[in-house]
Amino acid sequence: MTIGSVVVIVIQLVFAVAITPVLLGVMRTTRARLEGRVGGGIGQPWRDLRKLLSKEPTKAPGSTPVLSLAPILLMASSLVLCALIPLVSTLALASVPGDLFVVVSVLLLGTVALALLGLESGSAFGGMGSSRHMVIAALVEPTVLLSIYALSVPAGTSALAAIVQARRDDPASLLNPVGLLAIVALVVVVIAETGRLPVDNPSTHLELTMIHEAMILESGGRDLGWLELGSWLRLTALLGLVANLALPWGIGQDAAPLTLLAGIAAITVKLLVLGALLAAAEVFIAKLRLFRVPELLAGSFVMAFLSVSASYLVF
Amino acid sequence: MTVLEASLTMVDAGLLAQLLLGVLAILAAVVAPARVRNGCAGGALVAAGIAAAVTGTAALLGVVGVGLQLPVALPLAAPLEPLLLAPDRLGGLFMALAGVVVALAALFGVGYAHGPAASRTGWTGFAVFAVGMQLVPAATDAITFLLAWELMAGGSTVLLLADHASREPVRRAAVWYAVMTHLSFLLLLAGFGVLAAAAGGTSWATMATAGIEGSAATVAFVLLVAGFATKAGLVPVHVWLPRAHPEAPSHMSAAMSAAMVKMGVYGFGLVTLRLLPHGPRWWSIVLIALGAVSALYGILQASVQADVKKLLAYSTTENIGLITTALGVGLLLRDSGQDAVADVALVAALLLAVSHAAFKSVLFLGAGAVLHATGERDLDLLGGLTPRMPWTSVTFGIGALGAAALPVTSGFVAEWVLLQGLIHVDARADRLLAIVIPITMGIVALTVGLGLLTFVKAYGIGFLARPRTQAAADAHEAGPAMRSAMVLGAVLVVGLGLVPGPLAQTLAAAVSAAGVATTGGTGLVLGAVGVVLDPLALTVLTLATLVPLVAVNVALARRHPRRDVDLAWGCGGERTSPRMEYNATSYSEPLVRVFRSSLQASQLVDVVRHDESPLLIEQMTFTQETGDVIEDRLYLPATRWAVRFGDLARTIQNGSIHRYVGFSFAALVLVLVLVAL
């Protein structure tokens, strides 16, 4: 473990926490403008967060420690995710090298924390959200692991930093159908895991169609603040991953101040552009029926599978 | 017992100790008065389990014993080699595994056993089962192996029958178990018979050096794999698991699921690594297919079960399936000349076996504690157990994390090694690998995903939310013996997950795999494929990110403390009845829809209309039953056919003595005619 990689991790964590409300603000504003609304402004998520964190949470009789632990666990999972995914630099820790399988399991820890929180209160909506959330998580898993597989075949490793570096050193591989298929599959996964349209509608107010929102209905105040920030951080980390895999330019290779600055600038631009694109795309699509979601996921699984077999049989 | 030579090693002393402690446990079970019987017999069995754990570990680390010879004279026509107990490294691993599980289960049993399970017969059956199981992997020849195997089967059947007087399903479960376990025995007897005939001896050494090939090897492989698969609970011979595990006393379920089915896995290892190591390629494909189908089918069934012990039983099928898949991949890669990756897959198989033993004992013991406290094992009737049973809740939660393969548990490490093995296969030159490996990966991934859902459901519905019945509301924490068994098991799950290095290195030696090592004494390096996993470092990183977060949280909490309310939100209304909560059946309803065709769920909605108007509904009942497709399509026709055959046989056996005398006369005439020709 070198000083350089520790510096990179600290910078990534601070950067992720700082950029996340901005990213959400940009996405919401884009969407509002395209829909002909004014919107709350780019600073609104930040103000929401400040308000929620300074309010007291509630506790009903018979509730378990999961009520207060799950938000912290989700935050921890999201923060570790931001530390392990190469956002600013590909310098990785020697003993925790950002292995994609480790990254996925850390992500799943957050997923499980949310699902347990949904069940904790014993309300019907919480259980419903939790059940749907886990079914989607279960069906996403094959696509996640197969697209990791597809990406790791050319690089010869499942360490994220090494994959990103290999893709940057060989730009021809970016347009390779194997890599493209895997990235498309990964995008579907990111959409499903972060609860965006068409899998889940993050701005819904109708309980019966909720997934993510249903699980956190019973949380309030500080708990809700952590839950919101934790879920947003997941979006930042996963969008950053897709951005750096699809366009691996600008990311630093060492911990020199200048490269780090360049890395921060590059990932900020990539994140905000990607976020705005995602928000713009969401304007034009509606939420899928829950029982159509498996079809979407099956489609992405097929792409990941084709990508793996093509990497063996064609190239 | 006679010891061959004077120089005893630790392994020989340990084997002797296990036998003596087993006998002591039986004596204690028979002699001790009912009041102290649990303590005496259970205590002796805990000691026997620890002896097996120590002996097995010594053998695993490479201590070779001279062996204990059984003074049994069998009237056999075949050249009989000495009946010898002397575990090799692989056997040592499985003996240690069985020993640890037996010790945990017996410790739990001290507090848990009640009614018929705490009777003389109950404890004697458990002792015979435990010692038999511990000695199975120590056998060095087919006869000793089968003797120990039958002790294991007999003892477990007796204990499974414990509650037969009070509950009818126990009897049916015991019949299924007895039939399947003896089917397994017959297949093994035939398989080893073929091997012994081809090799000219009954000992493993003779069989391994004989270099058996061709049709004898194929026939033996098919028979032995079928036999061991029956014991291991692979699809389609898994049917006894979801019947026997729920109906057995819980400490027995833990021992059966965590240790006994592993003897089938040991059998796979014995056949494919030691006795017939150079089999053709399709053998490994058979193992992969068996394993992958079992893993997927097992977890799919587990995810829709509402009975927690049945859920755990199906999940056992899943885990054994994953182990078999890993073993098959390892063999396939050895055959393809990719030794480095093959080693990783083989180590993954063993890690999966060890980790399954750890978390499945915790889970079954936890389910036992819940059953003991509430009398219920149906998740739909539980809920809200965390405030009432905090120890059980935490340990069950850790076990569930292990089963869902999340960090930092042993289950995560094992699955990580398997996935690393799969993605590092070089399939460019080999079409078969290019097809088999991605499909295997997809199936393993879907299994992992469904496993996650299954165990979130098992824990969340059972331990969180609010009590759904009075029984759950009246639950009480388990006693000290039960609690300590669960805590020890949970410590194993987390310990092996935090510090997997030394275990992995030792396991690598057991299957002579190079390229798996430890880093800094804790982490895991798969040198052959160049990847590192250090769960301890991951934990440190997590804690480091948590420090500022928790600091902020504590500061905020001091300023704005948590406020108690009657109802946090409740959708704007009172929560009048716990029946409004989501339960296990509703939790898996979307999954039942998605996998409708493979689960064959039948749903029945019964509507009672009000007398005054058909538009008013008085009561609605929803019943869902998920069947076992394989049971309906395979076993029902088979039993029907057997019954029909029996009916046919009855036409010549009508009970008339005249007819039987006639048959004897006809037979005599026939023999005389044959002799005369």
Side-chain angles (χ1 to χ4, degrees), chain A residues 56-57 59 99 122 130-131 226, chain B residues 420 553 560 563 565 581 587:
Chain A
E56 84 277 9
K59 177 174 174 289
D99 184 315
S130 170
S131 153
W226 291 133
Chain B
Q420 287 293 354
N553 199 47
H560 311 282
R563 185 159 53 90
V565 290
E581 288 178 39
Y587 202 82

Side-chain angles (χ1 to χ4, degrees), chain A residues 13 53-54 56-64 66-68 72 75-76 80 84 95-96 99 101-102 105 108-109 112 115-116 119-125 127-128 130-131 134-135 138-139 141-142 145-146 149 152-153 156 158 207 217-218 222-223 226 291 294 305 308 312-313, chain B residues 386-387 406-407 412 416 419-420 422-425 427-428 431 434 437-439 441 445-446 448-450 452-453 456 459-461 464-466 533-534 537-538 541-542 545-546 549 552-553 556-557 560-566 568-571 575 580-582 587 590 593-595:
Chain A
L13 284 176
L53 285 180
S54 59
E56 84 277 9
T58 54
K59 177 174 174 289
S63 55
T64 56
V66 170
L67 184 69
S68 45
I72 301 291
M75 271 300 287
V80 173
L84 291 182
S95 47
V96 193
D99 184 315
F101 293 120
V102 176
S105 62
L108 288 178
L109 263 186
V112 167
L116 289 181
L119 283 172
E120 198 276 338
S121 65
S123 88
F125 284 125
M128 188 184 70
S130 170
S131 153
M134 287 315 297
V135 167
L139 298 179
E141 188 73 5
L145 293 193
L146 271 187
Y149 186 6
S152 64
V153 167
S158 61
E207 288 92 345
L217 272 178
E218 306 269 332
R222 190 165 62 241
D223 288 346
W226 291 133
F291 295 105
F305 190 84
V308 172
Y312 282 143
L313 296 177
Chain B
T386 298
L406 287 174
F412 167 66
W416 181 83
L419 293 174
Q420 287 293 354
L422 285 176
I423 66 165
H424 281 95
V425 174
R428 280 160 222 266
R431 292 285 154 108
I437 299 295
I439 293 179
M441 182 81 170
L446 189 57
V448 173
L450 291 173
L452 211 59
L453 176 132
V456 164
Y459 183 75
I461 302 281
L464 301 179
R466 303 292 180 268
L533 176 73
D534 194 344
L538 183 67
L541 175 69
T542 314
T545 59
L546 267 176
L549 183 68
V552 173
N553 199 47
L556 289 171
H560 311 282
R562 208 164 271 277
R563 185 159 53 90
D564 285 324
V565 290
D566 281 346
W569 177 73
C571 196
R575 206 163 293 154
M580 286 178 68
E581 288 178 39
Y582 244 53
Y587 202 82
R593 281 214 208 185
V594 174
F595 293 98

Side-chain angles (χ1 to χ4, degrees), chain A residues 10 76 128 159 225 302-303:
Chain A
V10 172
M128 188 184 70
V302 169
M303 278 192 272

Side-chain angles (χ1 to χ4, degrees), chain B residues 176 628 630-642:
Chain B
W176 273 93
D628 193 318
I630 292 174
E631 209 175 297
D632 296 348
R633 297 275 166 85
L634 195 66
Y635 285 83
L636 284 185
T639 43
R640 225 176 288 139
W641 182 81

